[in-house]
Amino acid sequence: MKIAQLAPPWIEIPPKAYGGTETVLHILVEEQVAQGHEVTLLAAAGSQTGANFVPLTAHSLLEEGFSWRDTQKEREYLQQALDYIEAHDFEIVHTHLSSGGDMHLFPLLSHLRVPHVTTLHSNLPFRTEEVPPEIKQGDIARWTEHVPIVAISEQARRHQGLPLHFIGVVHHGISPQQYPMSSEPPEDYFLWLGRFVPEKGPHLAIQAAKQAGVPLILAGTISQNQEQYYKEVVESQIDGELIRNHGPASFEEKLTLMGRARGFLNPITWEEPFGMVMIEAMATGCPVISFARGAAPEIVSDGKTGFLVQNLEEMVHAIGRIDEISREKTRAHVQQHFSGAAMAYKYNGIYQKAIRNFTAKKQRPAALAGKKS
């Protein structure tokens, strides 16, 4: 299949640091190439890929110093990309929606004369200040019927605040071979990893570890505008003994921390549309204890790859049961359901459906005209 993958312009593929959408897109593109598809990646210069690569900027927009709020610059980028796509021969176009400027895709794609799908990587509606001023979220329904959307979880599909036209659900995937399972038994600590923001629940992970009397390692980054939360709510409880702060973890450090931890604590306090860190932990064999919110019930198999809990008390109880979970079966669950290969296979089905729908829609006006005559 001849596939055009259009990446957002802000970060190169794969990202040098944080970039959830870009990481998933990189895995998908490389897997599609490995499966024999003819893939063209349109992205910021500096990207690395085994696909045909069409750089559309001299540098990523963040490297060029543009603000996330410069949505007009993104519109120019997206228009340039779609002009290129229209001028070439593709069977399907796959775009990605994860920030306010990406909402330019709705009016632009509604006129695209090539079958297309768009993956929604985060929840809509975005904050008002992130939305391009010429696109009002309340008026978006006039375009959505023309833009087939892929959700990244059933939970994400159910909880969107705008009238979107969903064509299916595809869970994110990783490359399991990049997440080796340790041959050594786990060490006596639990792990929390992520951004230090309240909705990720690091303060709750600390409370659970203290109540259970188990060591906890925190490995995360301090988000912008969350310095006060980190200092007052998280850092004040770090004692260097029971509660330790590793600091930001590189990919290699993350693998080591996950592979050696007895379990991963995920006390999220929001309806997270997916949760890559959970499948990363499970890929190393590390079982996950998560609040049953967001997409966690679709990712963690309760009692088999970890535990789904409703509150802090249940999390403390689950910590005491963590050794009941088979680390081998936990990894096998990820290989079966959340690999890059599984993700690419599901997208292939979505593409075929989108092409059929697009073809039928094009033929419908002609058929109606024939009836009238």
Side-chain angles (χ1 to χ4, degrees), residues 123 149 151-160 166-169:
N123 287 331
I149 297 288
I152 58 176
S153 67
E154 292 289 350
Q155 185 278 341
R157 175 161 66 173
R158 291 192 302 267
H159 287 82
Q160 292 309 320
F166 284 105
I167 193 171
V169 173

Side-chain angles (χ1 to χ4, degrees), residues 106-347:
F106 284 106
L108 292 174
L109 288 172
S110 66
H111 303 292
L112 185 65
R113 294 170 293 182
V114 184
H116 54 89
V117 298
T118 299
T119 296
L120 177 59
H121 290 265
S122 54
N123 287 331
L124 286 174
F126 293 124
R127 291 175 295 184
T128 302
E129 64 270 19
E130 295 179 345
V131 179
E134 63 271 30
I135 298 177
K136 295 181 180 179
Q137 293 185 146
D139 298 334
I140 206 168
R142 55 182 163 158
W143 298 307
T144 54
E145 66 172 302
H146 305 290
V147 182
I149 297 288
V150 179
I152 58 176
S153 67
E154 292 289 350
Q155 185 278 341
R157 175 161 66 173
R158 291 192 302 267
H159 287 82
Q160 292 309 320
L162 295 175
L164 302 179
H165 170 52
F166 284 105
I167 193 171
V169 173
V170 179
H171 290 136
H172 286 336
I174 60 172
S175 300
Q177 63 270 22
Q178 295 183 345
Y179 296 81
M181 184 173 169
S182 175
S183 59
E184 300 295 324
E187 298 180 15
D188 187 28
Y189 70 85
F190 284 75
L191 176 67
W192 176 94
L193 186 148
R195 291 179 294 113
F196 286 114
V197 292
E199 57 265 30
K200 297 285 188 180
H203 59 292
L204 297 174
I206 292 172
Q207 291 180 40
K210 284 184 174 181
Q211 291 182 30
V214 297
L216 175 69
I217 292 180
L218 303 166
T221 57
I222 304 174
S223 293
Q224 190 177 16
N225 302 323
Q226 293 292 344
E227 293 88 351
Q228 184 176 358
Y229 162 76
Y230 173 76
K231 186 175 183 63
E232 295 181 0
V233 182
V234 177
E235 188 178 42
S236 60
Q237 301 188 73
I238 296 173
D239 57 19
E241 296 180 3
L242 191 68
I243 310 299
R244 290 174 281 164
N245 183 16
H246 175 279
S250 66
F251 183 75
E252 291 74 19
E253 290 171 327
K254 178 171 65 175
L255 294 181
T256 300
L257 289 168
M258 289 177 168
R260 294 178 180 174
R262 286 179 64 199
F264 185 90
L265 302 185
N266 191 52
I268 53 174
T269 63
W270 70 302
E271 302 307 321
E272 190 168 29
F274 193 70
M276 286 290 289
V277 71
M278 289 186 281
I279 62 173
E280 290 182 311
M282 292 191 300
T284 69
C286 180
V288 173
I289 305 174
S290 178
F291 283 0
R293 298 192 62 170
E298 300 174 46
I299 297 171
V300 178
S301 180
D302 189 37
K304 296 180 180 179
T305 68
F307 297 102
L308 295 167
V309 299
Q310 300 298 326
N311 51 46
L312 199 63
E313 181 181 358
E314 291 187 7
M315 178 166 280
V316 172
H317 179 70
I319 286 173
R321 297 181 55 198
I322 199 67
D323 295 331
E324 299 175 15
I325 304 298
S326 164
R327 297 177 80 88
E328 290 77 15
K329 291 181 179 178
T330 297
R331 176 174 173 81
H333 178 74
V334 173
Q335 291 175 312
Q336 181 178 357
H337 298 286
F338 300 107
S339 67
M343 174 174 59
Y345 176 80
K346 292 174 185 175
Y347 269 118

